[in-house]
Amino acid sequence: ISSDAIVNIPIIEGVLASRFAFQTRRDDGYMQDTSGREWNETDSKSVRAKILWSPTDNFTALLAGEYFQADETGSLGQCIGGVPGGAQGLNLFTAVFGVLDDLERACTENDDFYTSNDNDPNHSQVRTRGLTLNLDWDLGPVTFSSISAWRTIHEQNGSWGWGTDFVGEPSYSIEVLADQTSPYEQYSQEFRVSGSSLNERLSWTAGVYGFHESATQYINVPFWEAGGLGIPPPDPADAPLFNAPFFPGVTFGEFATGLASSISRRQETHATNKSYAGFFEGTYDVTEKFSVTAGWRWTKDTRIFKRAQTLSDGSFDVGNTCPGNPIDPDTGFVLNSSCEQKLTYSEPTPRAILNYDINDDFMVYLSFSIGYSSGGMNGDIRMRPFATELSDNWETGFKARLFDGRVQLNMTAFRNDYENQQITVSRLINGQPTADLINAQKATIEGIEMDLRANPFGNCFVTASAGVIQGDYDEFTTIDEEFDPITLISTQTVNDFSAVEFIGGAPMTYSVNMAYQFNLSDAGSVTP
């Protein structure tokens, strides 16, 4: 069930006006797992209000507020392909508890698409509020604009985790549970001046921009159901390793239970990002047919990341070996419950465009720009940084109106050369899946795109598009480190991914659309 409504209300003619809109979406989901839990449920509401104030001919103020909430469930998921690595790494302890075969069974593909292997809560809640204020003054020679924005989000996402078993059964594996609300807040301010000079042959815009955001996330990460606390020891027939001696006086089960209790964690992360920029762009008409656009932006980003960690019961975690945490030389234990890292990036990013109008209906162009995305840190205990991504972007093409304007044809060819392209990948660390943001050192993507809009006759309309894209990793290596909790030995592996298929979508895309508008006398129109 969905509902939408929009209403415009003039308050003072020509001076004050308002607009209100709301939208709701509700359905009971279209999948139910074998335990009776509903999945893919939708339940969202949003409201937006705008007020426009125009007290004079040269000043306007637009205030907009919005609210969004959702109480939904995620998609029904099923892991397939078995448990990589078998009884090694952390999965060895799953075998000690005698449930590795259950874990493998839960991750084996079958024909029952309604079997749920997610043992975590599947509910997600989001609350979003936002305000924006746009002010514009026409001062004659120049126009001054101010754009202010604020947004806050409160989210609790219980629809994901790494615990993998059947509903109602302990997974004896790593679980990731977002069991607290994670708040987020951002605000930004931009001041902009625009105008024209040199007998209106130069049109330009200049401004400054500031942005601040802060985010907190709470995650509970119990291992093997917190080491089986409160769970009876497994049947020896199912877990022969549980009572087997690990070293003199200690069984595998005792060691695994103690280890699980000592490494189950509650994690809390605080991220603060600040960004400041100054920019200028101008277009100069060299002749009536030829124009040059040049722009420049300088951006500075500061990222502060704090990570705190305790044991599951809230007690101090002596093994919180995050970067910068001092270690007591006598005990070998860390001294602080949290670590904080600060990274600063800055980059100039220019842009240049050449436009030439061959005639009133045919224009060709060539452009170059540099794209920039600041670096940062991953959120796990190693807080591994990823580098700034830069891209050199070349583009050339034409825009044409043909057949007395009944056909619009645009074509472009482009090439992007990436340095340290930022990519989120899934991989195994210490036998467990994780998602990391890493850098592909060098990558190239190039392609051709075309779009066509035509009105061949009457009320007939045709649109078409096509694209060919090709990408390659010229250099893409990573280093993985795996720790064996039995031997206490770490090993490093260098991976070369330069030969893998480029992550960038389908190599060829196309579409064709046709429509015809039938005008009905005194009854609107119908368009199939």
Side-chain angles (χ1 to χ4, degrees), residues 125 246 302 404:
Q125 293 182 336
F246 178 63
T302 301
D404 296 326

Side-chain angles (χ1 to χ4, degrees), residues 56-384:
T56 66
D57 292 338
N58 60 359
F59 175 80
T60 60
L62 177 64
L63 176 65
E66 60 182 82
Y67 174 78
F68 171 83
Q69 74 173 45
D71 297 274
E72 303 177 337
T73 58
S75 301
L76 177 60
Q78 179 184 51
C79 73
I80 60 175
V83 181
Q88 62 179 351
L90 292 175
N91 280 336
L92 170 62
F93 299 99
T94 304
V96 168
F97 286 104
V99 293
L100 181 60
D101 56 341
D102 290 337
L103 195 62
E104 291 177 330
R105 178 171 59 95
C107 289
T108 299
E109 187 175 6
N110 59 63
D111 294 331
D112 186 357
F113 298 107
Y114 298 93
T115 300
S116 171
N117 299 335
D118 186 353
N119 218 10
D120 300 318
N122 64 335
H123 197 68
S124 175
Q125 293 182 336
V126 179
R127 302 289 186 271
T128 302
R129 298 170 177 85
L131 285 173
T132 59
L133 175 62
N134 292 4
L135 306 176
D136 291 288
W137 288 274
D138 183 355
L139 303 176
V142 299
T143 298
F144 177 80
S145 300
S146 170
I147 304 171
S148 309
W150 168 84
R151 181 176 297 275
T152 181
I153 302 173
H154 288 79
E155 177 188 27
Q156 181 173 341
N157 188 352
S159 64
W160 57 277
W162 291 343
T164 304
D165 208 325
F166 294 102
V167 172
E169 301 178 10
S171 65
Y172 291 105
S173 185
I174 298 177
E175 305 228 20
V176 182
L177 308 175
D179 55 359
Q180 289 181 251
T181 298
S182 296
Y184 170 88
E185 185 177 31
Q186 73 172 49
Y187 50 87
S188 63
Q189 177 64 53
E190 179 175 323
F191 296 111
R192 191 170 60 224
V193 179
S194 59
S196 60
S197 306
L198 303 177
N199 296 322
E200 298 188 349
R201 296 181 68 176
L202 174 66
S203 58
W204 52 270
T205 299
V208 293
Y209 172 81
F211 172 83
H212 180 278
E213 68 176 346
S214 61
T216 300
Q217 187 176 53
Y218 303 95
I219 297 180
N220 182 25
V221 188
F223 282 60
W224 308 296
E225 293 287 337
L229 300 179
I231 300 176
D235 189 327
D238 296 328
L241 276 177
F242 191 83
N243 295 314
F246 178 63
F247 53 81
V250 178
T251 66
F252 267 96
E254 292 170 335
F255 176 75
T257 300
L259 179 66
S261 300
S262 65
I263 65 177
S264 296
R265 299 289 189 267
R266 295 196 68 88
Q267 300 170 0
E268 181 178 332
T269 60
H270 302 273
T272 301
N273 299 324
K274 301 177 182 179
S275 182
Y276 303 96
F279 56 89
F280 172 85
E281 183 169 279
T283 298
Y284 181 69
D285 294 329
V286 180
T287 69
E288 291 185 356
K289 294 181 175 295
F290 179 55
S291 65
V292 177
T293 299
W296 182 86
R297 181 186 182 98
W298 180 81
T299 306
K300 180 179 180 180
D301 292 298
T302 301
R303 297 185 178 272
I304 301 174
F305 186 68
K306 182 178 180 180
R307 188 182 193 280
Q309 182 168 290
T310 66
L311 300 182
S312 286
D313 60 3
S315 58
F316 185 77
D317 179 12
V318 298
N320 184 24
T321 55
C322 49
N325 198 347
I327 297 177
D328 188 323
D330 297 326
T331 64
F333 295 156
V334 299
L335 299 178
N336 297 331
S337 61
S338 64
C339 297
E340 183 174 295
Q341 299 286 314
K342 180 178 179 180
L343 299 174
T344 301
Y345 308 89
S346 63
E347 198 72 34
T349 49
R351 180 166 80 155
I353 305 172
L354 304 178
N355 286 318
Y356 186 75
D357 295 328
I358 296 177
N359 54 48
D360 291 341
D361 296 318
F362 198 95
M363 181 267 284
V364 295
Y365 66 93
L366 171 67
S367 72
F368 170 78
S369 65
I370 294 179
Y372 157 74
S373 177
S374 70
M377 286 160 284
N378 283 278
D380 63 15
I381 192 170
R382 290 167 289 178
M383 299 169 68
R384 296 178 312 286

Side-chain angles (χ1 to χ4, degrees), residues 398-402 407-411 450-453:
F398 67 84
K399 299 178 184 293
R401 288 192 298 265
L402 309 172
V407 175
Q408 173 73 47
L409 176 64
N410 304 325
M411 291 197 69
M450 177 277 293
D451 69 86
L452 172 75
R453 296 188 297 275

Side-chain angles (χ1 to χ4, degrees), residues 283-526:
T283 298
Y284 181 69
D285 294 329
V286 180
T287 69
E288 291 185 356
K289 294 181 175 295
F290 179 55
S291 65
V292 177
T293 299
W296 182 86
R297 181 186 182 98
W298 180 81
T299 306
K300 180 179 180 180
D301 292 298
T302 301
R303 297 185 178 272
I304 301 174
F305 186 68
K306 182 178 180 180
R307 188 182 193 280
Q309 182 168 290
T310 66
L311 300 182
S312 286
D313 60 3
S315 58
F316 185 77
D317 179 12
V318 298
N320 184 24
T321 55
C322 49
N325 198 347
I327 297 177
D328 188 323
D330 297 326
T331 64
F333 295 156
V334 299
L335 299 178
N336 297 331
S337 61
S338 64
C339 297
E340 183 174 295
Q341 299 286 314
K342 180 178 179 180
L343 299 174
T344 301
Y345 308 89
S346 63
E347 198 72 34
T349 49
R351 180 166 80 155
I353 305 172
L354 304 178
N355 286 318
Y356 186 75
D357 295 328
I358 296 177
N359 54 48
D360 291 341
D361 296 318
F362 198 95
M363 181 267 284
V364 295
Y365 66 93
L366 171 67
S367 72
F368 170 78
S369 65
I370 294 179
Y372 157 74
S373 177
S374 70
M377 286 160 284
N378 283 278
D380 63 15
I381 192 170
R382 290 167 289 178
M383 299 169 68
R384 296 178 312 286
F386 52 89
T388 292
E389 174 184 298
L390 294 173
S391 63
D392 292 344
N393 312 306
W394 293 91
E395 183 175 345
T396 184
F398 67 84
K399 299 178 184 293
R401 288 192 298 265
L402 309 172
F403 303 105
D404 296 326
R406 301 182 74 89
V407 175
Q408 173 73 47
L409 176 64
N410 304 325
M411 291 197 69
T412 182
F414 62 89
R415 176 187 172 97
N416 299 341
D417 294 308
Y418 288 98
E419 178 182 344
N420 292 323
Q421 185 184 29
Q422 296 168 358
I423 302 173
T424 300
V425 299
S426 299
R427 54 182 178 159
L428 290 177
I429 301 294
N430 295 329
Q432 296 295 330
T434 185
D436 284 339
L437 204 163
I438 63 174
N439 295 106
Q441 291 87 349
K442 293 185 182 298
T444 302
I445 184 171
E446 52 193 6
I448 299 175
E449 294 180 342
M450 177 277 293
D451 69 86
L452 172 75
R453 296 188 297 275
N455 175 213
F457 58 88
N459 293 333
C460 179
F461 302 94
V462 178
T463 61
S465 66
V468 178
I469 192 170
Q470 170 64 42
D472 294 291
Y473 294 114
D474 306 306
E475 180 183 348
F476 188 5
T477 59
T478 65
I479 297 178
D480 286 344
E481 182 173 352
E482 294 215 9
F483 174 73
D484 191 323
I486 303 298
T487 64
L488 305 181
I489 295 176
S490 294
T491 58
Q492 287 190 340
T493 303
V494 178
N495 309 298
D496 187 351
F497 294 119
S498 57
V500 304
E501 184 177 353
F502 188 86
I503 304 171
M508 179 177 293
T509 58
Y510 62 91
S511 67
V512 178
N513 305 277
M514 299 183 65
Y516 193 91
Q517 179 175 308
F518 294 93
N519 295 315
L520 307 178
S521 58
D522 300 325
S525 63
V526 174

